[in-house]
Structure formats: C-alpha cells, structure tokens
C-alpha cells in the first residue's frame, strides 16, 4: 500500500517534526514526509529536515496579509503532493480558506489535555490550577483555535516543584511519542472497511427514504420497499477490494469512467453495464464526489413522486 504523503508546518525548533520524520523511516510506517515548510526561513527545523533529504520551504509571513501568506503555503503543499498536513509548533493563526481547503486532513499537536488550556502558556496554567496531570493532545484542525476533535492524548504527571520549563520538557517527550502514532492511525483509518462503510452510510442514508439492508452478503442501500441504489463491497469473492457500486446514469458512462481512471473505476461482476464500481481503498477518495454519485444513483431508481419532492427540495 502506498504511504500517505504528509507535509509538516513548523515555526522554530521542530522537534515534533523531527519525531514524525524519524518515525517515518520505519519500513512499516504508513506515512512519509514530503515537505517541511516554515513561516521563518531561519527556523532550525528546516536545516534538520533538509539534512535528512526532505524538501523544505521557508518564507517569512511579514508584510503579507494572512490569507495571502496562507495561499503561498497552500500552493507549496499542493505542489508537494501532500495529502495531509501536520502542524508542529506552527505559530500562525490560519485563514478560514486555508482550514477549509484541508478540512479533515490537517492535524495539530497541543501541549495540554484539551479541552483544557487552549492557546498559550498551557504548562504554567496547569501548574497554577493545581492539576495533578498536564499532557498533550493531537486534534483535527478546525476554524476555531485548538478546538477540533481530539484524536489522542497523553497525560503527564505534574511533579512537586515542577516549573513550566521542566514540565514542558517532559511533555515534549510524550508529544514525540503521541504525534507519530496518532498520525499513523489517522492516515490509515481511511483504509479500514468499517470507517469507509460509515462514510458511505452517512451519505446514503441522508437521501430521502433511504434504508440499509444486507444483500448477497453486502451492505446495500435502497429506497424503503423499493430498489437498491448502492452496494458496499468489501473483499467480495476474495477480490481484496473495498468499493462502492452505484448506478450509472447515462449510456456508456461505465466505459467512460473506467477509461478516465482505470485504477479507480471498474465493471462490477454480475451487475451489468448500468452499474460502476468505485474503489474506496486508494487513500484519496473524494467524498463529495461519492455523495454526488450516490445522489445520482438514488435519482435513477427513485419513483416519480419522490423525485418530484427531491426536485422541489433542490430548489431551496
Ligand atoms: C510543542 O510543545 C507543541 O505542542 C506546540 O509547540 C511546541 C513545538 O515544539 N504546538 P517543536 O517545534 O515541535 O519542538
């Protein structure tokens, strides 16, 4: 299986970036680092990454509007082929446009047990509050600072006499362990059949009067008491493939899709020419596209009355 491509954004020391980079050297690590970028061309982490043979990019944000600078970084990320972004001590607030462009693909590490102590001075705040434990969290980045869903946490005991520096140094050890492991789980979750089925289910069951049943051992989605518009196939007949089968909506569409992207689309055995298989296990599924295909397939089998309702709903 190809490794997921990850870009890391830093602002300074870059010790978390280094932890990610060295973990990625293990043969069984599911991700590789394709770019390290910083908003400071002198960031120490850039020197380390370059010495390890990783492409780097450093440019100061000074004098640029937030959105302008983010576009420059975004262009670098896209050019590197990154599929995911890991923020590692990247001391920049991000524009909404940038966050949206990497929705569900960008992680951050934060030195507190979120939701406690968002923002800065996390270590001192934990000590001042008399907490027994501080720690670190890896979370998905959303528009709100340090606020997205938490993917993993490590509590770190606060010792008598701890200063913010002594505590920060110990938490950093935990950070280095946590980030790589959490990132590895995150980039592989999209290959787990249960996760994929849930994504399909969410989109399919959002359609009017849709229901889920099992047919020929496959979870499938239809209109209540009506026809089926989608099948989820996982290693069917031992083919090793995880895919969605949906109806095509125009003559020759199956052939056209397969020709346009033969690694992704295929002719599902026993389904004929009016269905197409879309691989979900390639690691780069466009879920908006999947939702569109499900909707189109639903339309194809929906009874007239229901279709009329959908058309009215579409106008709003
Ligand atoms: C880490 O404590 C991290 O949790 C926070 O910024 C610090 C970055 O350190 N977001 P480094 O640059 O990774 O060494």
């Amino acid at each position: 299986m190809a490794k997921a491509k990850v870009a890391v954004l830093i602002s300074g020391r870059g010790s978390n970036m280094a932890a990610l980079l060295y973990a990625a050297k293990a043969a069984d690590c599911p991700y590789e680092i394709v770019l390290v970028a910083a908003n400071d061309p002198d960031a120490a982490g850039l020197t380390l990454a370059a010495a390890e043979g990783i492409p780097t990019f450093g440019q100061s944000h000074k004098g640029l509007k937030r959105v302008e600078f983010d576009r420059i970084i975004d262009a670098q990320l896209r050019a590197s082929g990154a599929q995911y972004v890991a923020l590692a001590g990247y001391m920049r607030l991000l524009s909404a446009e940038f966050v949206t462009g990497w929705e569900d693909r960008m992680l951050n590490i934060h030195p507190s047990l979120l939701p406690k102590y968002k923002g800065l001075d996390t270590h001192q705040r934990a000590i001042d509050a008399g907490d027994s434990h501080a720690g670190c969290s890896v979370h998905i980045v959303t528009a709100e600072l340090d606020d997205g869903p938490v993917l993993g946490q490590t509590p770190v005991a606060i010792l008598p006499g701890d200063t913010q520096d002594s505590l920060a140094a110990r938490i950093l050890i935990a950070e280095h362990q946590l980030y790589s492991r959490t990132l590895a789980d995150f980039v592989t979750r999209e290959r787990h059949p249960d996760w994929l089925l849930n994504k399909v289910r969410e989109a399919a069951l959002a359609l009017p009067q849709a229901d889920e049943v099992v047919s020929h051992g496959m979870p499938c989605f239809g209109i209540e008491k009506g026809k089926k518009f989608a099948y989820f196939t996982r290693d069917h007949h031992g083919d090793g493939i995880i895919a969605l089968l949906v109806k095509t909506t125009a003559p020759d569409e199956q052939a056209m899709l397969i020709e346009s992207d033969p690694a992704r689309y295929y002719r599902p055995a026993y389904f004929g020419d009016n269905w197409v298989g879309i691989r979900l296990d390639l690691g780069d599924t466009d879920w908006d596209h999947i939702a569109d295909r499900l909707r189109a397939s639903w339309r194809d089998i929906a009874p007239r009355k229901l279709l009329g309702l959908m058309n009215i709903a579409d106008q709003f």
Side-chain angles (χ1 to χ4, degrees):
M1 183 73 76
K3 290 184 186 254
K5 295 183 191 317
V6 176
V8 188
L9 298 185
I10 62 170
S11 292
R13 176 177 61 176
S15 72
N16 275 290
M17 176 276 295
L20 295 178
L21 187 160
Y22 292 124
K25 293 199 176 214
D28 63 351
C29 184
Y31 67 82
E32 62 180 328
I33 307 294
V34 293
L35 175 73
V36 175
N39 61 322
D40 172 1
D42 299 324
L46 289 180
T47 313
L48 183 147
E52 293 293 351
I54 309 287
T56 60
F57 176 79
Q59 183 179 325
S60 170
H61 58 270
K62 289 186 187 133
L64 291 170
K65 289 201 179 111
R66 189 174 306 287
V67 82
E68 284 168 2
F69 182 73
D70 283 358
R71 280 185 195 151
I72 293 172
I73 295 291
D74 189 65
Q76 293 292 324
L77 297 174
R78 306 282 170 196
S80 75
Q83 298 163 305
Y84 299 90
V85 177
L87 305 182
Y90 188 58
M91 303 302 280
R92 294 279 302 156
L93 292 174
L94 303 169
S95 59
E97 180 183 298
F98 185 80
V99 174
T100 307
W102 291 95
E103 192 181 1
D104 266 336
R105 312 229 143 237
M106 181 156 56
L107 305 188
N108 180 41
I109 185 149
H110 182 73
S112 81
L113 295 175
L114 289 172
K116 274 186 159 182
Y117 314 130
K118 297 176 180 176
L120 298 173
D121 287 330
T122 55
H123 310 97
Q124 193 60 50
R125 284 154 74 197
I127 293 171
D128 291 348
D131 293 353
S132 67
H133 288 75
C136 50
S137 310
V138 172
H139 65 94
I140 299 179
V141 176
T142 54
E144 199 101 346
L145 181 70
D146 300 330
D147 193 60
V150 171
L151 300 171
Q153 285 187 319
T154 307
V156 172
I158 299 181
L159 302 181
D162 250 341
T163 62
Q164 60 171 343
D165 288 346
S166 63
L167 180 59
R170 238 172 24 261
I171 291 178
L172 198 59
I173 299 172
E175 290 183 29
H176 295 166
Q177 308 287 323
L178 179 71
Y179 208 174
S180 171
R181 197 176 60 234
T182 311
L183 177 61
D185 285 350
F186 188 72
V187 302
T188 45
R189 71 175 190 170
E190 300 192 4
R191 295 171 191 176
H192 290 163
D194 291 343
W195 189 88
L196 294 167
L197 173 57
N198 263 330
K199 283 292 277 190
V200 167
R201 180 178 283 141
E202 245 171 50
L205 293 183
L207 294 164
Q209 292 188 20
D211 69 357
E212 179 178 349
V213 289
V214 175
S215 167
H216 302 284
M218 291 184 267
C220 65
F221 302 89
I223 290 176
E224 284 166 22
K225 302 197 188 85
K227 294 183 184 170
K228 309 276 177 283
F229 61 90
Y231 290 78
F232 179 85
T233 139
R234 133 184 2 185
D235 200 22
H236 201 54
H237 298 302
D239 61 8
I241 284 175
I242 305 173
L244 174 70
L245 312 184
V246 284
K247 293 207 75 172
T248 50
T249 51
D252 296 332
E253 194 182 21
Q254 184 198 66
M256 272 160 16
L257 288 170
I258 296 171
E259 200 182 330
S260 73
D261 191 349
R264 191 177 315 272
Y265 297 100
Y266 65 97
R267 182 180 198 280
Y270 312 113
F271 274 77
D273 291 334
N274 298 327
W275 289 78
V276 67
I278 310 173
R279 299 273 303 255
L280 299 173
D281 52 0
L282 301 178
D284 62 350
T285 301
D286 175 348
W287 289 101
D288 290 336
H289 171 69
I290 295 295
D292 286 347
R293 297 265 17 157
L294 283 166
R295 203 176 167 84
S297 191
W298 179 95
R299 278 180 176 284
D300 199 62
I301 58 137
R304 234 162 224 267
K305 210 165 135 208
L306 208 49
L307 212 46
L309 284 178
M310 178 81 131
N311 287 340
I312 293 168
D314 277 353
Q315 286 168 15
F316 293 96

